[in-house]
């Protein structure tokens, strides 16, 4: 077996301990004679797996009974539609913050259902910063405020939460479980699983219960939060194997000390990489220092003609998936929870060596 260091933005690296446990019980889960993938989602066995995963997630994130936790299909992209359909509640306007490519996609989709008030945008700044909160033009009568706490492509992260009088909705796909957050500050949190939660195909939605039951009549049942909350996410067949894998990841997080320990580790990894980039003339990261993502670190080489060689040699050195998103070019190292400190050390050592050879 030859597992290499994987810096993919998603589907991303998973903890090896989790993969090994899944492998061990792949054919025969706890002597029941079948794989989790083959179980009825309504069986006692699977319901046990599902409930344990939800309980562990509630424990790790500190999610109170005021919130429903949904385990859905459709990806974070489907939530771009589900959010307005469930939350507009008769209103015709919603507030959106535009800090990058994922914000833009959420805005575009919401525009099908309502008038989108873009309260602030860093597009003129090439999405390298977060507009100061006191400059935001919030419509107080709009139904909710949506933002993207971590822009996976641009590598821009909010280390604060907007405090407003309406429900705050957050696309946490690439920051969830990377550090503790105050769930009570949010109306809805949603995330595709394929970064810090588990394999792709599972989407987690954490919704404050008082926001349920207001979906517009045109809302497809499968996008209606109330339908899924009432059925324990089993109104239709849930992404059962992904749910099980997520449960293993939640146990792994608990075992290594929860989100406080995870956050310390992530902080060390990100600091090491940014410090190296800042002190080496060959590399640059365009994001304002206070908003640099601790999960996705984009960086440019001094000469983009060397990009191809960098990617070829990094792959030969066992460092996978460093190519930047096609919309921005350059490189990107995604350093999610399961990417070890050793992986970051190996990346920094490779980058130093490459700069020496080619700088
Ligand atoms: N939002 C963010 C912040 C993302 O990073 C992604 C995926 N990279 C998405 C939304 C879309 O997620 P999905 O592919 O699960 O629809």
């Amino acid at each position: 077996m030859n597992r290499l260091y994987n810096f993919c933005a998603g589907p991303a690296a998973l903890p090896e301990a989790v993969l090994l446990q899944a492998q061990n019980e792949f054919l025969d889960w706890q002597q029941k004679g079948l794989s989790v993938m083959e179980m009825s989602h309504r069986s006692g066995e699977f319901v046990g797996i599902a409930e344990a995963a939800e309980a562990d997630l509630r424990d790790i994130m500190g999610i109170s009974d005021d919130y429903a936790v949904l385990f859905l299909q459709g990806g974070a992209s489907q939530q771009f539609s589900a959010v307005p359909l469930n939350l507009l509640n008769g209103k015709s306007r919603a507030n959106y913050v535009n800090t990058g490519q994922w914000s833009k996609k959420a805005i575009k989709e919401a525009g099908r259902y309502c008038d989108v008030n873009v309260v602030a945008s860093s597009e003129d700044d090439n999405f390298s910063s977060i507009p100061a909160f006191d400059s935001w033009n919030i419509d107080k009568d709009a139904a909710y405020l949506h933002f993207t706490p971590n822009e996976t492509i641009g590598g821009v992260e909010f280390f604060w939460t907007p405090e407003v009088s309406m429900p705050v909705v957050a696309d946490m796909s690439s920051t969830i479980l990377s550090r503790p957050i105050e769930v009570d500050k949010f109306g809805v949190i949603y995330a595709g699983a394929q970064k810090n939660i588990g394999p792709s195909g599972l989407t987690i939605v954490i919704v404050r219960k008082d926001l349920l039951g207001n979906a517009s009549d045109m809302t497809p049942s499968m996008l209606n939060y109330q339908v899924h909350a009432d059925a324990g996410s089993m109104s239709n067949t849930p992404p059962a194997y992904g749910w099980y894998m997520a449960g293993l990841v939640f146990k792994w997080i608990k075992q290594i000390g929860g989100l406080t320990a995870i956050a310390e580790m992530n902080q060390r990894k990100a600091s090491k990489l940014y410090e190296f980039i800042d002190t080496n003339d060959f590399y640059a990261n365009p994001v304002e220092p206070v908003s640099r993502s601790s999960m996705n670190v984009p960086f440019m080489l001094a000469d983009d003609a060397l990009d191809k060689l960098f990617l070829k040699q990094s792959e030969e050195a066992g460092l996978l998936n460093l190519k930047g998103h096609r919309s921005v070019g350059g490189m990107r190292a995604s350093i999610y929870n399961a990417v070890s400190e050793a992986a970051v050390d190996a990346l920094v050592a490779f980058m130093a060596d490459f700069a020496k050879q080619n700088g």
Side-chain angles (χ1 to χ4, degrees):
M1 189 177 65
N2 180 30
R3 284 185 55 78
L4 305 176
Y5 293 134
N6 182 6
F7 299 93
C8 191
L14 286 167
E16 203 163 288
V18 165
L19 293 173
L20 280 170
Q21 185 176 345
Q23 181 185 47
N24 274 335
E25 47 197 34
F26 187 69
L27 289 173
D28 180 7
W29 182 81
Q30 298 196 0
Q31 280 84 55
K32 299 290 179 191
L34 78 176
S35 172
V36 174
M37 216 180 276
E38 302 168 304
M39 286 177 186
S40 163
H41 57 293
R42 304 199 188 279
S43 64
E45 287 83 3
F46 187 77
V47 169
I49 289 171
E51 288 177 352
E54 179 177 335
D56 283 336
L57 181 63
R58 284 183 181 276
D59 186 26
I60 294 168
M61 290 184 69
I63 304 169
S64 76
D65 286 343
D66 293 343
Y67 289 79
V69 180
L70 312 178
F71 291 76
L72 307 177
Q73 305 193 28
S77 302
Q78 193 165 75
Q79 295 307 311
F80 297 164
S81 306
V83 164
L85 284 166
N86 282 275
L87 299 191
L88 282 169
N89 195 13
K91 294 195 172 181
S92 59
R93 237 178 164 212
N95 293 308
Y96 277 73
V97 188
N98 182 16
T99 51
Q101 306 297 338
W102 290 110
S103 297
K104 278 178 78 164
K105 291 204 176 192
I107 288 168
K108 184 165 178 229
E109 205 62 22
R112 298 177 190 279
Y113 309 101
C114 65
D115 173 25
V116 173
N117 176 44
V118 178
V119 304
S121 172
S122 55
E123 192 155 11
D124 287 349
D125 185 26
N126 222 358
F127 295 128
S128 62
S129 62
I130 292 174
F133 183 61
D134 59 13
S135 72
W136 292 16
N137 175 29
I138 297 169
D139 180 344
K140 291 197 168 53
D141 294 325
Y144 59 89
L145 172 81
H146 178 283
F147 79 118
T148 310
N150 185 63
E151 287 283 356
T152 320
I153 295 173
V156 174
E157 184 164 0
F158 283 75
F159 293 98
W160 49 280
T161 305
E163 309 250 0
V164 292
S165 56
M166 66 207 61
V168 174
V169 180
D171 172 1
M172 289 208 185
S173 294
S174 51
T175 179
I176 195 165
L177 301 180
S178 68
R179 57 189 162 91
I181 56 152
E182 290 178 73
V183 173
D184 289 348
K185 290 189 169 173
F186 298 88
V188 176
I189 291 168
Y190 64 91
Q194 62 272 20
K195 291 105 166 46
N196 273 336
I197 296 173
S200 64
L202 166 70
T203 310
I204 289 187
V205 179
I206 302 164
V207 51
R208 217 173 59 212
K209 286 178 181 165
D210 66 297
L211 298 172
L212 296 171
N214 301 323
S216 70
D217 288 345
M218 69 187 281
T219 306
S221 301
M222 288 300 98
L223 297 192
N224 188 326
Y225 294 156
Q226 174 90 64
V227 168
H228 289 297
D230 286 349
S233 302
M234 297 206 193
S235 173
N236 69 329
T237 314
Y241 198 76
W243 193 336
Y244 152 77
M245 288 291 288
L248 297 185
V249 171
F250 301 153
K251 289 237 184 297
W252 172 78
I253 289 174
K254 285 177 88 163
Q255 202 194 330
I256 63 176
L259 293 187
T260 306
I262 289 266
E264 283 168 14
M265 205 175 68
N266 285 333
Q267 187 57 45
R268 279 198 300 274
K269 284 157 34 187
S271 301
K272 197 176 281 178
L273 190 47
Y274 285 117
E275 267 169 36
F276 171 76
I277 290 169
D278 284 346
T279 51
N280 191 308
D281 288 345
F282 190 79
Y283 300 101
N285 168 279
V287 180
E288 62 174 353
V290 291
S291 307
R292 284 173 163 178
S293 169
S294 59
M295 292 286 100
N296 310 98
V297 183
F299 59 93
M300 307 290 165
L301 311 191
D303 177 1
D304 62 12
L306 290 168
D307 284 4
K308 261 196 169 150
L309 186 67
F310 183 95
L311 287 167
K312 179 172 176 283
Q313 293 188 350
S314 57
E315 198 171 316
E316 284 164 5
L319 309 169
L320 306 181
N321 291 312
L322 287 166
K323 194 172 196 300
H325 191 269
R326 59 191 182 281
S327 64
V328 291
M331 306 298 150
R332 172 177 51 173
S334 294
I335 48 175
Y336 298 117
N337 292 348
V339 177
S340 65
E341 298 193 59
V344 174
D345 288 341
L347 172 60
V348 167
F350 171 81
M351 288 169 71
D353 196 45
F354 188 85
K356 215 179 278 170
Q357 302 292 328
N358 298 282

